[in-house]
């Protein structure tokens, strides 16, 4: 009898934990490539905390960023919409003020919201900030600061940052000391501990400034790589600091006894650009729509719901973070701006599906509406106008010109080496039509059709 009562109490406790709205911690590295983890087989880099995370949750083996650069991808995480829809075409481009962010939605649902680290959605780039101090602090007067986009608290930079940074604490410049990832984690943990003590659900966005160039690692973080070049020591040292920070965040959630019902989502903002090992030997790199530019490491941990670890080959995107978080928390977006380009991944987390209901679009939008575009409709990836992409305009001497349309089966050919377009004309025609229809919808968004007050409706 006592055993049955204990089992019933355990089930009720588990149900109560699951029924409570989950906390959300969104962690993102800056320029970490697909190959830049131990669990993906990097020959030199050591990432014990990321490796443990990958064994503890759902490892999204086919995770893509919405864009091959930082600001656009960050806009997709915030909104669930492709960055082209809001004109966030390239690094340093601002998010559109009218956009509905995950922070705004969760804030209205009673969540405490905090942003820590790199923001890069306020239209500032590099050292062109408005402080008189060295660093990249965002000021309270900035119309696109994290505070204006739904965050209660923020300690944020307008771009990447390294050792001893100057960041904006709720808009006031403040000097910090130490590695940038440690600084970011310190501030995120202060926020998380405060909310856990108050029993309030929280959204904590933790966006590291590493391993973006310039690479400047602490001596202790470089030490494991002492036999490698100085450049590699600094690069791997920065990722080591990111890895340590991931371990600290996960450990704190467990110490605070909130880990079980916290969604912990880790990914990078675009592909790597530190050589073949960084991209995992995929084609292309940061700044391109080839796999090396948009496929990145990603893991989601949520013990209350993802009860058994598994590896998923289902294609997923940073576009999916917003709809997944809203579905998981039950937060309702008032006056949701349409269309959304992402989908909720809860059915995937629950092992109810291994397929994706919507293709993943990519577009290096040009001023004339041209540019390299791609569509991933598993397992096929279509490229249109690829020669316009970075590094593709000049072919090697004697090489044939790049075709206007290319098709790859990336499940069998992840390095995109064997073009199947000639063998699959019907598939090419269908996917091209889908991609063109999506591009037309993006142009409508850019014209303001997503915003009734701007469209005169």
């Amino acid at each position: 009898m006592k055993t049955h009562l204990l089992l019933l109490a355990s089930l009720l406790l588990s149900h109560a934990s699951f029924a409570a709205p989950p906390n959300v911690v969104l962690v993102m590295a800056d320029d970490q490539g697909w190959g830049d983890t131990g669990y993906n087989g990097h020959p030199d880099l050591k990432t014990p905390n990321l490796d443990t995370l990958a064994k503890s949750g759902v490892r999204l083996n086919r995770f893509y960023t919405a864009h091959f650069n930082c600001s656009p991808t960050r806009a997709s995480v915030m909104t669930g919409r492709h960055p082209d829809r809001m004109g966030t075409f390239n690094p340093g481009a601002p998010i559109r003020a009218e956009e509905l962010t995950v922070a705004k939605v969760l804030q209205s649902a009673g969540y405490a919201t905090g942003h820590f680290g790199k923001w890069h959605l306020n239209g500032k780039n590099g050292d062109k900030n408005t402080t008189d101090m060295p660093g990249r602090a965002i000021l309270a007067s900035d119309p696109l600061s994290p505070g204006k986009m739904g965050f209660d608290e923020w300690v944020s930079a307008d771009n990447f940052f390294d050792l001893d940074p100057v960041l904006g604490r709720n808009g006031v410049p403040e000097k910090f000391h130490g590695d940038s990832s440690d600084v970011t984690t310190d501030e995120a943990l202060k926020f998380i501990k405060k909310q856990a003590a108050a029993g309030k659900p929280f959204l904590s966005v933790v966006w590291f400034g590493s391993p973006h160039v310039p690479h400047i690692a602490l001596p202790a973080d470089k030490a494991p790589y002492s036999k490698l070049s100085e450049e590699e020591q600094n690069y791997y040292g920065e990722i080591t600091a990111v890895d340590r920070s991931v371990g600290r965040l996960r450990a704190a959630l467990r110490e605070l006894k909130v880990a079980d019902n916290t969604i912990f989502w880790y990914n990078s903002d675009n592909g790597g650009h530190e050589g073949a090992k960084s991209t995992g030997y995929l084609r292309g790199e940061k700044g391109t729509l080839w796999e090396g530019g948009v496929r990145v490491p990603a893991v989601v941990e949520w013990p209350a719901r993802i009860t058994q670890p598994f590896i998923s080959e289902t294609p997923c995107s940073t576009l999916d973070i917003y709809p997944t978080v809203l579905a998981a928390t039950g937060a309702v977006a008032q006056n949701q701006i349409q269309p959304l380009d992402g989908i909720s991944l809860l059915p995937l987390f629950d092992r109810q599906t291994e397929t994706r209901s919507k293709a993943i679009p990519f577009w290096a939008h040009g001023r004339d509406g041209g540019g390299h575009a791609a569509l991933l409709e598993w397992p096929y990836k279509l490229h249109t106008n690829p020669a316009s992409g970075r590094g593709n305009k000049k072919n090697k001497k004697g090489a044939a010109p790049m075709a206007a349309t290319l098709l790859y089966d990336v499940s069998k050919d992840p390095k995109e080496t064997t073009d199947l377009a000639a063998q699959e004309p019907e598939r090419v025609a269908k996917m091209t039509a889908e991609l063109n229809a999506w591009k037309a919808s993006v142009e409508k968004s850019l014209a303001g059709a997503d915003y009734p007050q701007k469209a005169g409706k």
Side-chain angles (χ1 to χ4, degrees):
M1 182 67 177
K2 184 180 291 186
T3 301
H4 289 300
L5 289 174
L6 288 172
L7 178 60
L8 178 61
S10 176
L11 290 171
L12 290 173
L13 182 62
S14 174
H15 178 73
S17 175
F18 184 77
N23 306 304
V24 181
V25 180
L26 303 180
V27 185
M28 190 154 61
D30 192 359
D31 286 4
Q32 182 184 21
W34 164 253
D36 284 330
T37 66
Y39 71 81
N40 274 338
H42 197 288
D44 303 308
L45 181 63
K46 297 174 175 58
T47 56
N49 292 294
L50 288 174
D51 298 351
T52 299
L53 175 64
K55 294 176 182 177
S56 304
V58 52
R59 177 173 144 191
L60 300 174
N61 210 29
R62 298 278 180 172
F63 191 81
Y64 293 85
T65 56
H67 199 270
F68 50 61
N69 275 321
C70 46
S71 297
T73 290
R74 291 162 202 278
S76 76
V77 172
M78 285 289 103
T79 66
R81 285 158 50 84
H82 196 279
D84 287 354
R85 294 192 184 278
M86 58 206 82
T88 312
F89 297 134
N90 42 53
I95 192 171
R96 196 151 47 180
E98 297 90 342
E99 292 294 329
L100 191 59
T101 68
V102 64
K104 289 180 179 178
V105 177
L106 265 60
Q107 188 181 56
S108 67
Y111 274 67
T113 57
H115 177 272
F116 308 95
K118 177 173 175 174
W119 178 240
H120 213 197
L121 289 173
N122 59 325
K124 300 289 193 300
N125 194 359
D127 291 321
K128 299 176 182 177
N129 58 69
T130 52
T131 76
D132 59 0
M133 301 173 68
R136 297 192 159 110
I138 301 176
L139 300 186
S141 58
D142 195 312
L144 292 174
S145 72
K148 298 294 197 304
M149 301 305 289
F151 290 97
D152 302 321
E153 299 182 27
W154 43 286
V155 181
S156 309
D158 73 342
N159 200 342
F160 58 85
F161 55 105
D162 281 294
L163 303 181
D164 302 331
V166 175
L167 307 176
R169 183 185 296 279
N170 300 324
V172 179
E174 183 175 330
K175 177 71 173 178
F176 293 84
H177 298 279
D179 176 85
S180 65
S181 297
D182 289 332
V183 168
T184 301
T185 301
D186 289 344
E187 295 303 317
L189 288 178
K190 290 177 187 176
F191 171 81
I192 289 171
K193 289 175 181 177
K194 180 169 66 173
Q195 308 314 324
K200 188 170 185 177
F202 57 83
L203 164 69
S204 181
V205 173
V206 186
W207 285 353
F208 299 121
S210 292
H212 195 291
V213 293
H215 304 137
I216 310 172
L218 294 173
D221 292 332
K222 294 164 58 176
Y225 315 106
S226 60
K227 295 182 180 181
L228 304 176
S229 69
E230 184 71 16
E231 182 180 357
E232 289 175 310
Q233 289 179 44
N234 277 302
Y235 183 62
Y236 299 151
E238 285 201 353
I239 297 178
T240 292
V242 169
D243 182 78
R244 176 174 60 251
S245 293
V246 168
R248 290 178 61 204
L249 288 166
R250 293 182 69 240
L253 292 172
R254 281 154 178 77
E255 290 168 7
L256 296 168
K257 302 188 184 306
V258 296
D260 280 355
N261 202 31
T262 295
I263 302 169
F264 189 96
W265 196 316
Y266 181 89
N267 60 270
S268 181
D269 63 348
N270 49 245
H273 66 124
E274 294 300 318
K277 287 187 287 189
S278 179
T279 63
Y281 299 91
L282 298 172
R283 182 174 180 176
E285 61 174 358
K286 173 185 177 178
T288 76
L289 291 182
W290 305 108
E291 293 288 279
V294 292
R295 186 178 170 190
V296 298
V299 183
V300 181
E301 183 179 39
W302 183 11
R305 187 142 188 177
I306 305 172
T307 56
Q308 293 294 324
F310 67 99
I311 298 173
S312 172
E313 297 291 338
T314 303
C316 304
S317 168
T318 54
L319 295 165
D320 302 331
I321 294 176
Y322 175 96
T324 302
V325 169
L326 265 60
T329 59
V332 178
Q334 300 297 326
N335 302 315
Q336 175 64 62
I337 301 168
Q338 296 289 351
L340 292 180
D341 295 290
I343 62 171
S344 169
L345 298 182
L346 290 190
L348 174 66
F349 295 168
D350 293 340
R351 307 298 297 270
Q352 295 176 352
T353 184
E354 294 183 353
T355 61
R356 184 180 182 86
S357 61
K358 184 185 290 188
I360 300 176
F362 306 90
W363 192 10
H365 191 287
R367 291 182 179 179
D368 59 354
H372 185 183
L375 187 72
L376 180 64
E377 195 165 57
W378 192 254
Y380 294 95
K381 185 178 176 186
L382 176 83
H383 292 266
T384 63
N385 196 21
S388 68
R390 195 182 83 178
N392 297 325
K393 293 182 180 180
K394 293 183 179 180
N395 289 297
K396 294 181 180 178
K397 188 175 181 179
M402 187 172 289
T405 303
L406 300 168
L407 182 72
Y408 301 97
D409 180 345
V410 290
S411 67
K412 300 175 182 177
D413 180 23
K415 296 181 181 180
E416 298 170 291
T417 60
T418 305
D419 177 24
L420 304 175
Q423 302 173 32
E424 298 271 2
E426 293 183 3
R427 188 181 304 278
V428 167
K430 176 178 176 293
M431 291 181 69
T432 301
E434 291 177 13
L435 181 57
N436 287 339
W438 175 80
K439 289 168 70 175
S441 79
V442 168
E443 294 295 353
K444 288 183 179 179
S445 297
L446 286 170
D450 294 352
Y451 308 93
Q453 70 275 20
K454 284 195 168 186
K457 296 180 182 178

